Amino acid sequence: HQLQAIDEIPCVTLIDEIPIKSETSESEKIITQIVVACFLILPGVLSSNISGFNIGIWMIPLAIFAIVGSINSVNLIDGMDGLAAGIIAIASVASAIYASVITGSVASLPFVVIAGAAVGFLVLNHYPAKIFMGDTGSYALGAGYMAAALLGNTFIFSIIALAVPIVSVIISLLHRAHIITLPVEPLHHTLNYHGMSEQKIILLYWAI
C-alpha cells in the first residue's frame, strides 16, 4: 500500500512548483556591492590621501565608486577561460611590486594573497577550463583587489594596472548607450565573433 501511495504522488506538479533558477536583478547586485564597499568606509580605515592629495570627505563616494567599478569590471571580463583570473593575477603582482617599493612590504601583502589565489585558480581555469569563476569569484576578486589598492595607497597605479577590464566596461557602456555598435558584447566576444580564437584573445589581453 505504501509503494502504491508513492506511485500516486503527482511528481510533475511538485517539480513545476520548484524554481529551477532564481536570477538576482541588476539593482539588487549594485545595492549589495555598495554594502560591501561600506564595510571598508564605515570603520574609518581608509585614508583621505590619494597620491599626496587630501580629498577629505570625497574619499567616501570615490571608494564606493571604485569598488563597485572594480567588481563589475572583473565580472564583465570573466567571459573566457582564465581571462579574468589571469588579468587579476598580473595586475596584483604589478601592484604588489609597486606597493613594496613605494609604501613598504606590508602594503603589498594583500596583493600577494590575491595574486596567489588567482594563479592557484588558473591551474584548473586555464583554457580549456575544468572549473569556472562565475559572479561569486569575480565579485570577490574585484572587491578584494580594489580594497587592497585603497588600503595600501596604490589607488592610481592599481587603476592603471586594471585598465584592460575598465576599458572593456567603457566600451560596453558606449554600446548600450548606442554611441557605438558591437555585433556582440563585451569586446572579447566581438573579437571572437570576427574570427580571433579564444586562446589568442586571452593571450592578447594578458599581454596588454
Coordinates of all heavy atoms in Angstrom, one line a residue, residues 47-50 53-60 62:
S47 N 42.3 56.1 4.3 CA 42.9 57.4 4.3 C 42.2 58.3 3.3 O 41.7 57.8 2.3 CB 44.4 57.3 4.0 OG 45.0 58.6 3.8
S48 N 42.2 59.6 3.6 CA 41.6 60.5 2.6 C 42.7 61.1 1.7 O 42.5 62.0 0.9 CB 41.0 61.7 3.3 OG 41.9 62.4 4.1
N49 N 43.9 60.5 1.7 CA 45.0 60.9 0.9 C 45.2 60.0 -0.3 O 45.3 58.8 -0.2 CB 46.3 60.9 1.8 CG 47.5 61.6 1.1 OD1 47.9 61.2 0.0 ND2 47.9 62.6 1.7
I50 N 45.2 60.6 -1.5 CA 45.4 59.9 -2.8 C 46.6 60.6 -3.5 O 46.5 61.7 -3.9 CB 44.2 60.0 -3.7 CG1 43.0 59.3 -3.0 CG2 44.5 59.4 -5.0 CD1 43.1 57.8 -3.0
F53 N 47.5 64.0 -2.3 CA 46.4 65.0 -2.3 C 45.3 64.5 -1.3 O 44.8 63.4 -1.3 CB 45.7 65.1 -3.7 CG 46.7 65.6 -4.7 CD1 47.4 64.8 -5.6 CD2 46.9 67.0 -4.9 CE1 48.2 65.3 -6.5 CE2 47.7 67.5 -5.8 CZ 48.4 66.6 -6.7
N54 N 45.0 65.4 -0.4 CA 44.0 65.1 0.6 C 42.6 65.6 0.1 O 42.4 66.7 -0.1 CB 44.3 65.9 1.9 CG 43.4 65.4 3.1 OD1 42.2 65.2 2.9 ND2 44.0 65.2 4.2
I55 N 41.7 64.6 -0.2 CA 40.5 64.9 -0.8 C 39.3 64.9 0.2 O 38.2 65.1 -0.1 CB 40.1 63.9 -2.0 CG1 40.1 62.4 -1.4 CG2 41.2 64.0 -3.1 CD1 39.6 61.5 -2.5
G56 N 39.7 64.6 1.5 CA 38.7 64.7 2.6 C 37.5 63.8 2.4 O 37.7 62.6 2.1
I57 N 36.3 64.3 2.6 CA 35.1 63.5 2.6 C 34.8 62.9 1.2 O 34.0 62.0 1.1 CB 33.9 64.4 3.1 CG1 32.7 63.4 3.5 CG2 33.5 65.4 2.0 CD1 31.6 64.2 4.3
W58 N 35.4 63.5 0.2 CA 35.2 63.0 -1.2 C 35.7 61.6 -1.3 O 35.4 60.9 -2.3 CB 35.8 63.9 -2.2 CG 35.1 65.2 -2.4 CD1 35.4 66.4 -1.9 CD2 33.8 65.4 -3.0 NE1 34.5 67.4 -2.2 CE2 33.5 66.8 -2.9 CE3 32.9 64.6 -3.7 CZ2 32.3 67.3 -3.4 CZ3 31.8 65.1 -4.2 CH2 31.5 66.5 -4.1
M59 N 36.5 61.1 -0.4 CA 37.0 59.8 -0.4 C 35.9 58.7 -0.3 O 36.0 57.6 -0.8 CB 38.0 59.6 0.8 CG 38.8 58.3 0.7 SD 39.8 58.2 -0.8 CE 40.4 56.5 -0.7
I60 N 34.8 59.1 0.4 CA 33.7 58.1 0.6 C 33.1 57.8 -0.8 O 33.0 56.6 -1.1 CB 32.7 58.7 1.6 CG1 33.3 58.8 3.0 CG2 31.4 57.8 1.6 CD1 32.4 59.5 4.0
L62 N 34.2 58.2 -3.7 CA 35.3 57.7 -4.6 C 35.5 56.2 -4.3 O 35.6 55.4 -5.2 CB 36.6 58.5 -4.4 CG 37.8 58.0 -5.2 CD1 37.5 58.1 -6.7 CD2 39.1 58.7 -4.8

